[in-house]
Structure formats: C-alpha cells, structure tokens
Amino acid sequence: MPQVTKVPSRPVDIASSTPLPGTFLHQLDETQRHGLTRAGSTRQYRAGIALVHHGDPSEHVIVLESGWVKATVTGRNGWETLLAIRGAGDIIGELSGLDAEPRMATVTTLTAVTATILSAERFETFLMGNWPVARALLRHLAANLRESDRRRALHGQSNGDTRLTAMLHELVTRHGIPVAEGMAIDLPLSQKDLASSVGVSREVAARTMRLLRERGIVATHRRRVVVRRPDLLRVLALSVSMSTEAS
C-alpha cells in the first residue's frame, strides 16, 4: 500500500466535494456518492507517491476526491509514456477491480491527493446493488475507450508538432484556470511529461513550445504553461482534428 499521511478524524466526504465535469463521480447524485464513501475509506497522499504500479496484482479501486494524478507506462527501452491525467471525480483501477487482472499502468500523484479506497470485492458488491452507478461506470469506460481510439488515430495521422498542439488545447480546455495572462494549465507537468504524452522526444516538444512562444500563443514557466491566446490554439487544434477526420 502506498505511503499515506494521517487521515483526519472527520474524513472528507466525496458527496460534498466537487467532481470535475466529465468524470465518473460527476454522473452520480449525492446519495450515490454517499454510498461510495460508506463502502470505502478515506486516504490522503502527498505529491510524488505511486498509488499503483504497472503489473501489480489487483487489490483495490481508487476514487479521487481532490488533487491530480498521472498514469504512465515504461517501455523496455526505458521510455516513459504519459497515458492520462486524472483529477477530482475520476476513478482509478476500475478495470483491475472488475477483472482481477494486473494493473495496466503506474499511477503517480502530481499534487497532494485525497481519495476513497475500496477493495475490489466491496466495489463489485456496491455495483451489483446499484444499477445507476454501474451504468455510470459503463459510460465512463466507453468515454475512455473513445478517447484512447481518438488519440491512436491522431498519433497515426499527424506529426509531433500537431499532436502536442492538440494536447495543449485539450489540457487548457479541461484544466485551464483564468489568470492575468490568459489561461494557465496549472498542472505540475514537466516538458518530458508533455513530450511523452504525444510520443515525441523532448527536443521536438521544446521546438514546438518555442514556436508557440514566438507566435505569442503560450508563455512557459517552470512546470507551468500559460496559454495567452486560447483562440489561436483552438484554431490550430481544430485544424489538426479536421485533417485527421478527413484522411
């Protein structure tokens, strides 16, 4: 079990927290979220902790209440690929929780995280007695599959520059925070993380970011990107999407 900080005497209740739009918990009502809370236990993790490791046997499901995590896999050549970023309202390890197969990725906290932990057995029992929650999980799995297929198509029909531009647009759309300069992607992602998310080298990612800076579209800081012209980034991302659909 990953290292945790001491859980407060009054645990955080996911029913009273605010899940992000499009997440698993966002599809549930307050009563259903309370049910999940009672079925598991609350844990807190500091940044940089691996919640699960690729290849580990399945033991539990994690429902994120607050904070951010990243899912990665490392190939035989040592190259780490960023598969996804998940935040409040997302569920981690649901596939292994259902089929008892080994973990498909390593999930690491990007920030401090509060989560509800459910054993695979309790998770399955809860789903069997709560069809609306089970249906929400099916929709969640279908959305993830569509996202995976879309990214696979994008990787096969575009170059690294266009893939990174599309990824930045996705990040600012989902996670952007208004600031004086524009919209900040307020996630502690390194240039290596950005590069691996679209399957390019750090050199290619650095070149793309430099071109976007020169055009005044983004400003970069240490582990922080500010999109100064979201409108232009959107135009570039849409052109990538349209060219992929047309091919």
Side-chain angles (χ1 to χ4, degrees):
M1 199 72 174
Q3 181 179 351
V4 301
T5 60
K6 197 169 184 179
V7 179
S9 57
R10 187 176 181 181
V12 177
D13 188 349
I14 61 176
S16 62
S17 60
T18 306
L20 296 169
T23 60
F24 170 61
L25 285 186
H26 194 257
Q27 302 180 59
L28 308 184
D29 62 28
E30 185 173 338
T31 299
Q32 293 159 353
R33 293 180 205 163
H34 271 300
L36 273 177
T37 301
R38 291 193 297 269
S41 57
T42 302
R43 295 287 185 271
Q44 293 181 324
Y45 305 88
R46 57 182 174 82
I49 296 298
L51 302 181
V52 299
H53 293 273
H54 181 211
D56 279 358
S58 173
E59 295 179 355
H60 57 279
V61 173
I62 303 170
V63 181
L64 297 178
E65 302 169 25
S66 65
W68 295 95
V69 303
K70 65 176 181 178
T72 60
V73 293
T74 302
R76 294 179 180 177
N77 59 358
W79 178 265
E80 184 181 84
T81 300
L82 176 63
L83 300 179
I85 298 168
R86 297 290 182 251
D90 278 314
I91 184 169
I92 305 298
E94 69 279 12
L95 288 179
S96 294
L98 292 173
D99 63 15
E101 291 294 320
R103 304 292 186 182
M104 297 178 64
T106 295
V107 178
T108 308
T109 57
L110 288 168
T111 65
V113 163
T114 301
T116 289
I117 311 298
L118 298 89
S119 68
E121 181 180 0
R122 279 179 172 266
F123 182 58
E124 185 173 355
T125 300
F126 183 79
L127 291 178
M128 290 176 65
N130 294 271
W131 165 242
V133 179
R135 182 175 56 192
L137 181 65
L138 289 174
R139 289 174 175 168
H140 163 79
L141 293 173
N144 283 352
L145 180 59
R146 289 180 184 276
E147 179 183 351
S148 177
D149 287 345
R150 181 185 60 78
R151 288 189 178 181
R152 189 179 298 112
L154 183 63
H155 275 239
Q157 301 172 22
S158 61
N159 60 34
D161 294 328
T162 55
R163 293 200 301 270
L164 183 55
T165 299
M167 171 58 71
L168 288 173
H169 177 258
E170 180 180 330
L171 288 174
V172 78
T173 300
R174 292 188 176 189
H175 313 304
I177 297 174
V179 294
E181 295 178 79
M183 294 290 290
I185 301 173
D186 204 19
L187 297 172
L189 297 173
S190 66
Q191 196 167 84
K192 179 182 177 182
D193 289 329
L194 291 174
S196 71
S197 69
V198 293
V200 300
S201 66
R202 275 188 284 186
E203 289 74 19
V204 170
R207 181 190 66 199
T208 303
M209 297 303 292
R210 184 180 69 252
L211 292 173
L212 292 173
R213 283 196 303 269
E214 290 173 352
R215 296 180 64 179
I217 297 175
V218 305
T220 56
H221 310 280
R222 187 177 183 276
R223 296 209 168 201
R224 193 179 195 226
V225 176
V226 176
V227 179
R228 304 178 67 180
R229 294 294 306 272
D231 54 335
L232 291 183
L233 187 65
R234 181 175 181 272
V235 169
L236 290 174
L238 285 177
S239 67
V240 172
S241 176
M242 291 175 64
S243 64
T244 300
E245 292 174 0
S247 56

